[in-house]
Amino acid sequence: MTLPLLPTSGVGSWPKKKRGQKGNLDAVSKKETAEFIKNQEQLGIDILVDGEFYRGDMATDYGRALALPIADWTRSYGNRFWKKPIVDRQLIAKEALQTEPYIYAQSLTTHPVKGMLTGPTTLANWSLHTYYRKREDRVFAYADVVNFEAKELEKAGAKYIQIDEPAIGEYHWEAELFNEGLRRAREGITAYIITHICYGDFKLVYPRLKNLSVDQIDIELANDLDRPEQSELITQMKKDPLTQYKDVAVGVIDIRPDVPVEDVDTVTRRIKTTIDILGPTPDLLQRIWIKPDCGFRTHKNPTTAYAKMKVMMDAVKKVREQYVL
Amino acid sequence: MKTTINGPYPRIGSELTQKLREETGAEETHPTILQHLQNDVTKELVRELVTAGIDLPNDGLVYANDELSWPLENTDGITFGGMHKTLHTNIIHRHIICTGEIKQKHFINPLHTTAVTEHSVKLELPGPYTLACHTEIGKTAPYKNIEEIAHAYAEFYRGVLLSRKKEDFVQFNEPSIIAYKREHPNLEMLPELYQNMLHKTKAQTAIWTSSGHYTRQTIDLLFSLPVDTIGIDFVWDQNVETLLKKISTDKNIGFGIVDSGDTGWCGQDDKNSIVKTLRSFAGYTYLSKALVAPNATLEHLPRNYAQQKIKLLRQIADEVNK
């Protein structure tokens, strides 16, 4: 499939109706997935995501699939809580968690759909542990689990696999461990691998990104693009554009539910600023993808989420017209 | 030796805390109902802490969005940006951006909890140095560097401290002084910073550090500050024992020696080894005035695990006090 200039994609999650966190693809999830796939096609998005309607939590679902005990709620911030799996035994993956949702979503469209996984460092950090004492043992054990999942996705036909690693900013000094975890997770995989990172102090991690064993780095940038002169991250990007090393998917939409829908001019400006920083030459420009900062699961209803994605697509179309290679 | 905890206490795990969670996450929250629920949950948490044997409880920081940015909620000169991870953890705080002169508009008064609960609680604040390290100085801010903004925060806190009585206990959490693999800029500002902040204030004070390692210089610096108690992280730095035994001080030591689970490990602490370490300080500090605590917030753990940690703290203190 030939992608246009500035290919677009979502990051993963979409608002879902309130229900118990199940971590499985039930009838309601299937209906919501079908609707969301259609919405993305209507918007003209290039690489689709499945909306993650089946998902409970990024680490908890894996814990359940691995038959680990699940701890009671712990808080991340504000009113956000999650249940950490407790790794109390050796991790051995027997059944894939993510293949069924991928197969279902892909059956609904001819556009490529991403297979979605959680990365090994995030899984290790967002679990409690009583078995693996050393951090590298935790990360590598989970890397084997993620590799198993990735292989199953590839067997099922996934051409794009996203490995979410929002924990990249945690233990930021463990660059080699993080890299090795990702490398093991993608070992033997020929699909296009994306790693999505968010919620980080990216100026600490930016220098490491070029060495990651992935094809694309997916990074949130909307707020920094509004004040590029003040952003330390943008300063680093200007000095050493990541597009020299990898494809880069740039977040141009602030997904927080309390942030109003941006106007097209704002998002157009963000995209153009991105091009100035990361795509100053035609070959680097072709490595830029456009997406929202993150998934939309924190939204209570899909209306504003849809409006934000529409603004993004309108802005992308405007910029594409101005850049004819 | 007395027991205490640091940072927010798990606010989920009971029917009441579940109600608070639902109200906080509701489409339309009712401020009065929310306030009442926060008060009730605070009462419940403090009662739990005291019943389990915590001598110096905090109020669980139930009202706090996060441990770092909460005092700046209604402050002139401050806006909040996106979300940042707090140190090495998956606990998140709001990005603090200074856009103007920092002035107290309406400080959330945690001492309302004294009216709310039957027990006195310590007031816990993110320290001015740590706040400064986590603040982005915006273009319109009147401060040029981290030192100026730290002093602004210290001045902001003076207003809070001047109303405190000598029976009150105020703790400043300062992980940025030693946070592992992070910059610790301008540590030399700390003595003047704390002197200015605490000048003519009456409350008992503590500074608590965590999530990193200590050098002789940082230990000397910490123990030179005009506070009564210095909290030390023995979980991250098991060698700090040697450093501490080389200094001569009349300050109290806060032993952050029970594992809060901040690195993910939730296996059992070695109680006997902890008691042995604490007893070994008998010739070096007044153990009767010392505090024993988890090394960081117990919010890394679910409430049932946190309850076990508190029980353990009581057992440890009782053994040491024998």
Side-chain angles (χ1 to χ4, degrees):
Chain A
M1 175 189 181
T2 311
L3 293 171
L5 180 68
L6 303 174
T8 54
S9 185
V11 172
S13 65
W14 197 247
K16 63 181 181 184
K17 293 182 180 54
K18 198 170 180 170
R19 54 180 179 274
Q21 294 183 320
K22 290 201 194 277
N24 60 300
L25 191 58
D26 58 9
V28 175
S29 303
K30 281 184 172 175
K31 185 163 177 266
E32 287 176 317
T33 303
E35 218 172 283
F36 181 51
I37 292 283
K38 214 165 148 193
N39 285 343
Q40 292 174 85
E41 286 176 331
Q42 282 165 351
L43 284 169
I45 293 172
D46 302 298
I47 307 294
L48 309 190
V49 291
D50 63 11
E52 298 178 338
F53 297 98
Y54 48 85
R55 198 178 78 174
D57 194 86
M58 287 178 81
T60 321
D61 291 350
Y62 283 81
R64 290 200 176 100
L66 292 162
L68 297 173
I70 305 295
D72 210 341
W73 299 103
T74 52
R75 193 170 77 117
S76 176
Y77 69 95
N79 203 39
R80 307 270 303 149
F81 296 82
W82 92 106
K83 292 185 172 188
K84 298 183 186 181
I86 305 173
V87 182
D88 64 350
R89 66 197 75 163
Q90 189 183 5
L91 293 178
I92 301 172
K94 290 190 180 138
E95 225 175 280
L97 177 68
Q98 293 295 115
T99 311
E100 190 196 346
Y102 161 75
I103 290 173
Y104 177 70
Q106 188 64 82
S107 72
L108 299 167
T109 179
T110 53
H111 283 70
V113 175
K114 290 183 193 173
M116 308 296 290
L117 298 173
T118 304
T121 295
T122 297
L123 286 169
N125 288 6
W126 295 9
S127 299
L128 293 171
H129 296 270
T130 58
Y131 186 80
Y132 299 103
R133 187 86 214 212
K134 287 194 207 163
R135 279 191 45 75
E136 56 257 34
D137 292 339
R138 299 174 190 179
V139 172
F140 295 159
Y142 267 124
D144 290 344
V145 170
V146 177
N147 186 248
F148 170 83
E149 290 273 348
K151 282 176 172 156
E152 292 298 303
L153 279 172
E154 194 163 53
K155 264 192 246 168
K159 302 277 183 289
Y160 296 87
I161 296 175
Q162 180 170 306
I163 303 179
D164 290 342
E165 282 282 33
I168 188 171
E170 302 162 22
Y171 299 91
H172 65 273
W173 58 90
E174 290 180 343
E176 280 178 32
L177 175 60
F178 183 90
N179 292 1
E180 181 59 16
L182 259 186
R183 192 200 64 74
R184 289 184 186 209
R186 74 149 306 161
E187 190 149 39
I189 305 293
T190 56
Y192 183 93
I193 300 287
I194 300 155
T195 191
H196 166 68
I197 57 179
C198 58
Y199 281 166
D201 190 353
F202 294 126
K203 62 183 187 295
L204 280 180
V205 304
Y206 185 75
R208 297 161 43 186
L209 299 180
K210 60 185 172 221
N211 299 321
L212 294 183
S213 305
V214 297
D215 302 294
Q216 183 190 105
I217 308 285
D218 168 323
I219 188 167
E220 66 175 68
L221 215 53
N223 283 296
D224 293 83
L225 289 168
D226 284 343
R227 41 188 195 95
E229 298 86 30
Q230 288 183 282
S231 164
E232 286 186 46
L233 173 58
I234 300 254
T235 306
Q236 286 191 55
M237 282 186 168
K238 278 184 186 163
K239 285 188 193 154
D240 192 14
L242 195 53
T243 33
Q244 293 176 115
Y245 312 98
K246 312 254 170 242
D247 291 346
V248 182
V250 173
V252 298
I253 293 287
D254 189 331
I255 53 85
R256 288 173 294 165
D258 53 339
V259 173
V261 178
E262 295 97 326
D263 57 69
V264 173
D265 287 342
T266 299
V267 182
T268 305
R269 193 179 58 244
R270 287 175 184 166
I271 296 172
K272 287 185 171 175
T273 306
T274 299
I275 292 171
D276 288 342
I277 298 160
L278 291 174
T281 59
D283 57 328
L284 295 188
L285 172 57
Q286 289 194 75
R287 302 197 83 170
I288 298 174
W289 290 40
I290 299 296
K291 52 139 203 135
D293 268 352
C294 200
F296 285 93
R297 70 178 293 186
T298 52
H299 282 241
K300 290 197 165 103
N301 74 69
T303 311
T304 38
Y306 186 89
K308 283 178 178 263
M309 288 300 283
K310 180 154 190 327
V311 165
M312 185 185 93
M313 291 310 297
D314 288 344
V316 165
K317 283 167 193 161
K318 232 173 130 173
V319 177
R320 276 176 183 165
E321 282 163 13
Q322 294 171 14
Y323 285 87
V324 177
L325 295 173
Chain B
M1 173 162 276
K2 291 190 164 60
T3 54
T4 190
I5 65 161
N6 300 317
Y9 187 70
R11 67 187 63 183
I12 204 89
S14 71
E15 204 179 306
L16 199 52
T17 53
Q18 180 60 23
K19 274 193 191 150
L20 174 61
R21 187 187 170 190
E22 283 164 10
E23 180 62 30
T24 311
E27 291 252 3
E28 271 184 47
T29 56
H30 303 94
T32 316
I33 296 177
L34 192 60
Q35 176 74 73
H36 280 307
L37 275 170
Q38 284 180 349
N39 288 351
D40 287 343
V41 168
T42 300
K43 260 193 254 192
E44 184 185 82
L45 295 189
V46 173
R47 204 174 291 138
E48 179 170 306
L49 292 172
V50 170
T51 307
I54 297 297
D55 301 303
L56 179 62
N58 62 14
D59 58 7
L61 280 82
V62 172
Y63 41 81
N65 177 82
D66 60 77
E67 204 179 338
L68 189 70
S69 70
W70 73 265
L72 307 174
E73 194 78 38
N74 287 292
T75 303
D76 282 338
I78 295 290
T79 57
F80 297 128
M83 311 301 289
H84 282 189
K85 295 288 174 86
T86 303
L87 302 175
H88 57 288
T89 72
N90 187 37
I91 289 182
I92 290 168
H93 65 268
R94 291 173 296 193
H95 178 201
I96 302 166
I97 306 169
C98 180
T99 53
E101 191 187 345
I102 294 168
K103 264 194 285 194
Q104 196 183 114
K105 214 155 64 178
H106 172 67
F107 180 70
I108 297 168
N109 180 11
L111 278 194
H112 78 274
T113 54
T114 313
V116 162
T117 75
E118 307 91 62
H119 311 280
S120 58
V121 297
K122 67 178 175 181
L123 170 57
E124 233 180 287
L125 298 163
Y129 178 79
T130 293
L131 273 180
C133 286
H134 283 89
T135 300
E136 179 184 323
I137 303 177
K139 264 188 176 165
T140 51
Y143 316 105
K144 293 187 189 50
N145 52 48
I146 188 175
E147 195 163 339
E148 286 186 14
I149 206 160
H151 279 283
Y153 282 131
E155 191 53 37
F156 172 86
Y157 278 153
R158 254 184 82 68
V160 173
L161 289 163
L162 284 168
S163 61
R164 297 296 177 253
K165 304 186 286 293
K166 70 177 198 296
E167 303 80 56
D168 295 335
F169 191 106
V170 181
Q171 177 171 312
F172 299 95
N173 292 332
E174 293 275 25
S176 289
I177 292 175
I178 61 156
Y180 190 66
K181 294 289 187 182
R182 296 247 170 181
E183 287 176 18
H184 316 294
N186 296 52
L187 284 174
E188 60 275 9
M189 76 165 95
L190 284 170
E192 191 187 333
L193 187 70
Y194 271 78
Q195 261 150 34
N196 290 349
M197 183 169 68
L198 298 177
H199 181 59
K200 290 195 174 171
T201 61
K202 300 192 186 100
Q204 302 165 68
T205 52
I207 187 167
W208 210 287
T209 56
S210 58
S211 308
H213 299 161
Y214 301 85
T215 63
R216 180 63 198 256
Q217 286 77 18
T218 34
I219 291 290
D220 287 345
L221 180 64
L222 284 169
F223 281 83
S224 75
L225 299 178
V227 296
D228 303 297
T229 301
I230 311 289
I232 301 286
D233 190 329
F234 281 74
V235 176
W236 272 74
D237 191 348
Q238 275 127 37
N239 294 324
V240 72
E241 182 183 336
T242 314
L243 287 175
L244 285 172
K245 285 176 176 171
K246 286 185 176 148
I247 64 166
S248 168
T249 182
D250 55 2
K251 293 201 190 295
N252 307 324
I253 298 179
F255 292 88
I257 200 167
V258 165
D259 196 331
S260 67
D262 66 304
T263 60
W265 183 254
C266 66
Q268 282 192 344
D269 295 271
D270 184 344
K271 183 177 88 169
N272 293 335
S273 170
I274 290 172
V275 168
K276 190 173 169 201
T277 299
L278 291 172
R279 280 193 179 139
S280 76
F281 274 84
Y284 299 89
T285 188
Y286 293 110
L287 285 181
S288 59
K289 293 193 199 172
L291 294 171
V292 63
N295 69 309
T297 172
L298 289 173
E299 267 207 319
H300 297 286
L301 298 169
R303 190 144 155 187
N304 54 338
Y305 278 72
Q307 288 165 339
Q308 288 170 28
K309 294 285 179 178
I310 286 163
K311 238 165 120 172
L312 175 67
L313 282 173
R314 185 70 259 156
Q315 289 167 0
I316 289 168
D318 287 344
E319 281 287 323
V320 171
N321 290 338
K322 267 190 200 159

